[in-house]
Amino acid sequence: MFIDEAKIYVQGGRGGDGLISFRREKYRPKGGPDGGDGGKGGDVILRAVAGVNTLLQFRDQIHFRAEDGVAGGRNRRAGRCGADLVIAVPIGTVIKDPKTGEVLADLAAAGEEFRAARGGEGGRGNAHFAGPTRQAPKFCERGEPGEGRWLLLELKLLADVGIIGYPNVGKSTLISAVSAARPKIAPYPFTTLEPHLGTVQVDSEPFVIVDIPGLIEGAHAGRGLGDRFLRHVERARLLLHLVDLSGSEGRDPLEDYRKINEELAAFSPALAKRPQIVAGNKVDLLSPDELAAIVGRFAAEGIELYPISALKGIGVKELMAHCYRKLQELKAGEEKEGAARLPLR
């Protein structure tokens, strides 16, 4: 089961109490106060881990608490600090405040951490309060409670290429043809209910591709869970827009292309500007004249269309090679832009 959203409560450990104690040894009747300090409570830390791919673990457990600090001891011995609680989350997890929607952290790389809840400080023992005018204090401090709050976790998958399009245009068939991913495939709307990641090899160089469940009109507003699906293409460098050239669903491929792009723009203007490669699937169901007419319609709009058949493998290898070349161009542009931002020495 794939889960890409969860709400959890995190609680830092309570600090240990200080101790009220007086040193009592033979021949030292006035040994004085020697109560030690309590240990600090543990923190709750969220860490991005490569081996975790879903937020499924938070379906059954939503409350997390770090270890409490230990109370101080005699002879000014400090109590042990509580152990931090480290919670593994998938790479690409965005942490938000559920009340305000504020993004608190974006764990986009393995090993990145977010201190979600701090543990309370330990209380001071009575040895801290001794002085010339107060030589035998009979009080201490209690440990402070740890920080506690609700967090909203959202997973945005990390992929180089995101496949988008209407339901039943062949996205799942394509990803199963070019990678080891094996999504369920059937001719029903919304068969794909969760994104699938796959790795494509081109000239021994891999790139990651994600199959986004079918989008429909109103997807940006949540219709058909579209807003949740669109979240997973926000990190993709390149969009592979797949349309059905056969018209088997009674839709026009060029009109489908326009509507999906309208949904992208409504969801995120930045996403609408993401580079796209447009591929027309199911060419095996068309005659050469029908294919030429459709390609001409897209060309008239300034759109280069790559005809393929994911089922028969027609044009698929060439399409993946084109995606790879485009990715290399985009990465080179990013590196060049990053170098331009470096300060001059």
Side-chain angles (χ1 to χ4, degrees), residues 196-209:
H196 292 92
L197 284 170
T199 302
V200 181
Q201 293 279 346
V202 176
D203 297 332
S204 300
E205 292 291 331
F207 64 87
V208 179
I209 191 167

Side-chain angles (χ1 to χ4, degrees), residues 3-4 46 127 131 142 151 178 222 229 245 340:
I3 292 181
D4 59 2
L46 275 66
R142 296 198 62 186
L151 297 173
V178 300
F229 296 156
L245 300 185

